[in-house]
Amino acid sequence: MSVPPAAWLDLDDAAFSKYYDRVPFGFSHNLHRLALFENETLRALCERYAAHPEDYFVSPSASSAGAVFYSVPKTPLKPHEAFDNLTVGSYKILLKRLERHHDGFRDLLNTLFAQVKGQLQRNRFPDGAERLESSVFISAPRATTPFHFDPEVNFFSQIEGEKIYHLYEPSVLAEEEVEPLYVRATTDIGQVDLARRDPSAEHVFRLHPGTGLHQPQDAPHWVETVGSRSISYTFVYETREGRMRSRVRSFNAYLRRLHFYPAPPGDHPALDTIKAAAMAAAIPVRRQIGRAVRSTFRP
């Protein structure tokens, strides 16, 4: 199945230029009108994913927005089994890396990212992308995804049902909260404490079919569905600049363990280059960190 070239995200030029990868903003789209998201297509896709457990995640709803993210265990159900019994177990299904499993979703990802890349170029943002991936979320009514942040830039579109997205700017997180995710050097979620946030700083998006939002890298958030099944589509990517910040934060986490108080990414660009290069090196991380610390902080 091919994706019509008319698939689009309506990204406002002024909002994109002012807020991209710093502040969440909303947009409209027409993805909910694509045959890719019809019930039969999604059911067949769930069945196809059953043979690829590394690319899906099925779990019940979290008990609250402040729950520990991985305190909610995965279920043994295959995606199509959860799809058929979504409300019985208040299940949430995440199908990751759609472009690996369906040609139509690969075409859709390429179509939409080309639009985003055009915006990046017009606004003179760096347009390189690392690890470009797409996913679909299928969630039961009244399901909750707890508070966390993700290590990538996100364009999120609501396809079916209603979803309430509670989102903060990345700047609300202290460096000490962000660094532990990146020291692991894995693509994963970052666990943070919702109780530490100021509710007045929250951006709330009440999404319905045809609306979406831009989520900056490291923007903490929690999500809830309302009274009906929810289907959402998202594509994410890392930028080279974002990956460099990640490496700097990983380096800083080691420095903090040595009782230094490292400067955050961006304060000292030349020093950031040294830190990022150290973390990208092929030799064992601990040996390289020791050498870089000694050379960088000589009296």
Side-chain angles (χ1 to χ4, degrees):
M1 180 186 298
S2 61
V3 173
W8 49 261
L9 307 180
D10 186 10
L11 301 170
D12 180 75
D13 286 337
F16 197 101
S17 176
K18 186 175 181 180
Y19 298 130
Y20 171 74
D21 204 24
R22 293 190 308 104
V23 177
F25 61 86
F27 58 80
S28 60
H29 63 80
N30 72 340
L31 308 189
H32 59 304
R33 302 189 184 281
L34 301 180
L36 280 172
F37 297 105
E38 292 177 353
N39 195 71
E40 294 77 9
T41 304
L42 291 177
R43 173 59 171 75
L45 186 65
C46 285
E47 194 160 0
R48 183 181 302 183
Y49 264 78
H52 303 278
E54 72 283 1
D55 280 348
Y56 72 80
F57 189 90
V58 179
S59 74
S61 170
S63 59
S64 68
V68 174
F69 193 90
Y70 287 120
S71 66
V72 182
K74 294 175 65 175
T75 77
L77 294 181
K78 303 293 187 183
H80 62 284
E81 296 170 334
F83 187 93
D84 292 340
N85 297 279
L86 200 65
T87 59
V88 174
S90 191
Y91 293 123
K92 300 183 300 177
I93 305 167
L94 168 60
L95 304 180
K96 301 186 288 186
R97 294 178 278 274
L98 296 165
E99 61 282 354
R100 293 185 181 180
H101 302 279
H102 194 287
D103 290 345
F105 280 106
R106 183 179 64 247
D107 293 344
L108 177 62
L109 176 61
N110 291 336
T111 296
L112 297 180
F113 183 67
Q115 295 177 18
V116 170
K117 190 170 183 176
Q119 280 279 6
L120 292 171
Q121 291 170 344
R122 283 193 294 277
N123 287 284
R124 300 187 179 182
F125 290 117
D127 62 3
E130 311 282 345
R131 196 178 56 79
L132 175 64
E133 298 176 355
S134 61
S135 301
V136 68
F137 298 87
I138 306 167
S139 304
R142 293 172 291 279
T144 299
T145 299
F147 195 59
H148 68 286
F149 69 93
D150 303 312
E152 57 241 335
V153 177
N154 184 340
F155 287 86
F156 186 97
S157 298
Q158 188 67 8
I159 305 299
E160 178 188 311
E162 190 173 13
K163 180 167 281 187
I164 304 176
Y165 216 107
H166 304 260
L167 185 55
Y168 291 79
E169 298 170 24
S171 59
V172 306
L173 295 179
E175 287 296 311
E176 296 93 323
E177 294 181 284
V178 181
E179 290 166 358
L181 172 66
Y182 292 110
V183 77
R184 298 199 304 267
T186 58
T187 303
D188 203 350
I189 65 97
Q191 180 69 56
V192 283
D193 185 3
L194 177 58
R196 292 180 58 181
R197 306 314 133 193
D198 178 359
S200 68
E202 183 183 66
H203 299 255
V204 179
F205 294 85
R206 199 171 192 104
L207 300 178
H208 53 81
T211 62
L213 60 85
H214 165 60
Q215 177 179 293
Q217 180 174 341
D218 300 333
H221 57 281
W222 70 276
V223 185
E224 58 182 322
T225 59
V226 190
S228 62
R229 183 179 76 168
S230 169
I231 297 172
S232 311
Y233 170 83
T234 183
F235 65 93
V236 301
Y237 57 89
E238 294 178 88
T239 64
R240 295 186 183 94
E241 294 70 27
R243 186 163 285 186
M244 181 174 179
R245 287 197 305 271
S246 302
R247 289 171 176 160
V248 171
R249 284 172 166 148
S250 179
F251 192 104
N252 284 351
Y254 283 98
L255 292 181
R256 210 173 293 280
R257 293 178 185 179
L258 297 173
H259 306 291
F260 289 100
Y261 297 92
D267 278 11
H268 302 289
L271 187 55
D272 284 351
T273 301
I274 296 172
K275 293 176 178 178
M279 296 311 300
I283 65 175
V285 170
R286 291 186 183 275
R287 186 188 310 168
Q288 181 69 353
I289 289 292
R291 290 177 181 174
V293 168
R294 288 192 293 273
S295 65
T296 305
F297 292 95
R298 278 181 190 149

